[in-house]
Amino acid sequence: MTIIEIENLTKSYGGRTAVDGVTLSVDEGEIFGIVGPNGAGKTTTVECLSGLRVPDSGSIAVAGLHPQRDHVGLSQVLGVQLQQSQLPDKLKVSEALDLYSSFYRDPADWQELTAILGLEEKRSTPFRKLSGGQKQRLNIALALIGNPRVVILDELTTGLDPQARRNTWDLVERIRDRGVTVLMVTHFMEEAERLCDRLAIIDRGKVVAVDSPTGLVARVSDRQLIRCRPSAPVDLETLLAAEEVVTAEQSGSQLVVTGTGNLLHVLTSSLARSGVVPADLRIQRASLEDAFIALTGRSLED
């Protein structure tokens, strides 16, 4: 069932169009990602969705509710973790959660949330003494305190170290497992590829493509590249006779094979029949970032 509908959304600031005719739908229970470079219109889109900004035109519905007309009702079904948020330095974790829970008709058990999010031992800690990862987990808890059906996570892991980022990814998957639909905004392609069931690539305010991460990569190329160091010379003609193999070259001690389909099985089986052992075998495939570059014509840094 579709739980978020956005149709022909536009939003401009002065003479600059930030969101240009965005149309998206998100199904209940999925992790849906919006990816793109900084300034692409991602945050403006979700701010319109959550009622924080008024769009110039277009329509939005979250669980059948309009962000402006049904703002009170929407606040009971939608949780938001903003890209930038701050709490008073001296406010303790338990105080923040207790305060936020008072805003909702049917709040979650915030003590249970602190246990789930690894904040149990930080309940009496002031906000200013939390680490970056702990502040992010608190922001997630505040977004979930109202037992929302949908939660927006905007640039959730920006500024976190690699381990904290991966811990946060685990938390996002646990949120989805609780039955919450997750709409996440990110410019980390690894994050989108790891977490999202489907995602939209947005560039210069427009939706360039919507698909699963695998589907987006397949639009660009299904070709694989395998490198290895064979223990003996390889019969390249035999390899090239296989339907899955496109190219096969041996330069010095390295064998490089490109192809499609079940290329790895074809290569290893052929080498095994010849008594050749492949050392240092590595497989390279097109990445989500490759797909982004192919679909937009520029890199995320541009």
Side-chain angles (χ1 to χ4, degrees):
M1 184 180 74
T2 300
I3 194 166
I4 296 174
E5 282 281 3
I6 304 174
E7 292 187 6
N8 297 318
L9 181 70
T10 63
K11 179 66 179 178
S12 297
Y13 302 104
R16 185 180 70 87
T17 300
V19 179
D20 189 2
V22 166
T23 296
L24 294 172
S25 64
V26 179
D27 295 333
E28 190 165 15
E30 73 175 336
I31 299 177
F32 188 96
I34 299 178
V35 301
N38 291 329
K42 307 184 303 295
T43 293
T44 298
T45 297
V46 297
E47 286 179 345
C48 290
L49 181 70
S50 59
L52 295 175
R53 294 192 185 275
V54 180
D56 298 333
S57 62
S59 63
I60 303 172
V62 182
L65 300 171
H66 186 279
Q68 301 300 322
R69 293 194 303 267
D70 307 312
H71 182 71
V72 174
L74 182 64
S75 68
Q76 300 297 316
V77 300
L78 178 67
V80 182
Q81 174 266 322
L82 296 172
Q83 185 174 346
Q84 293 183 342
S85 58
Q86 190 73 19
L87 292 172
D89 283 346
K90 295 183 180 180
L91 190 69
K92 297 177 181 178
V93 169
S94 60
E95 293 171 338
L97 289 164
D98 193 44
L99 173 64
Y100 273 61
S101 66
S102 69
F103 301 157
Y104 300 97
R105 292 190 293 264
D106 181 28
D109 182 343
W110 64 259
Q111 294 186 353
E112 180 187 357
L113 278 178
T114 58
I116 292 171
L117 296 172
L119 291 171
E120 238 177 342
E121 296 181 358
K122 298 296 179 179
R123 290 177 182 174
S124 299
T125 303
F127 182 78
R128 64 182 172 84
K129 290 190 176 181
L130 298 176
S131 69
Q134 290 162 352
K135 288 178 180 178
Q136 288 291 55
R137 290 202 293 274
L138 176 57
N139 288 333
I140 295 173
L142 295 176
L144 294 174
I145 196 69
N147 270 327
R149 292 175 61 189
V150 180
V151 64
I152 294 173
L153 305 175
D154 189 1
E155 299 291 3
L156 179 65
T157 61
T158 297
L160 299 186
D161 62 68
Q163 185 58 55
R165 181 172 294 136
R166 280 163 175 75
N167 291 342
T168 305
W169 292 349
D170 291 339
L171 294 176
V172 173
E173 291 174 329
R174 292 169 69 181
I175 291 169
R176 192 263 305 277
D177 292 343
R178 289 165 62 91
V180 180
T181 301
V182 178
L183 176 62
M184 63 181 299
V185 175
T186 183
H187 64 272
F188 292 121
M189 289 303 185
E190 183 186 0
E191 184 167 272
E193 201 160 9
R194 155 76 185 269
L195 292 174
C196 296
D197 300 303
R198 290 189 305 135
L199 55 90
I201 292 178
I202 292 184
D203 187 37
R204 297 183 175 96
K206 293 180 178 289
V207 176
V208 177
V210 179
D211 208 333
S212 67
T214 301
L216 288 171
V217 172
R219 293 189 190 191
V220 178
S221 174
D222 61 352
R223 184 168 294 192
Q224 306 160 45
L225 184 148
I226 300 177
R227 300 177 186 270
C228 67
R229 289 191 298 105
S231 60
V234 176
D235 183 354
L236 298 181
E237 293 300 321
T238 300
L239 274 179
L240 288 166
E243 180 181 351
E244 292 84 355
V245 177
V246 176
T247 66
E249 299 177 353
Q250 190 163 4
S251 176
S253 64
Q254 190 171 76
L255 174 67
V256 180
V257 180
T258 67
T260 59
N262 199 359
L263 180 64
L264 178 61
H265 175 72
V266 170
L267 174 61
T268 54
S269 297
S270 177
L271 295 180
R273 285 193 296 270
S274 302
V276 177
V277 177
D280 298 332
L281 190 147
R282 290 171 291 164
I283 305 173
Q284 296 173 236
R285 294 182 174 88
S287 68
L288 192 56
E289 187 157 358
D290 294 329
F292 179 87
I293 292 170
L295 290 166
T296 65
R298 63 191 186 124
S299 70
L300 280 171
E301 289 76 20
D302 290 342

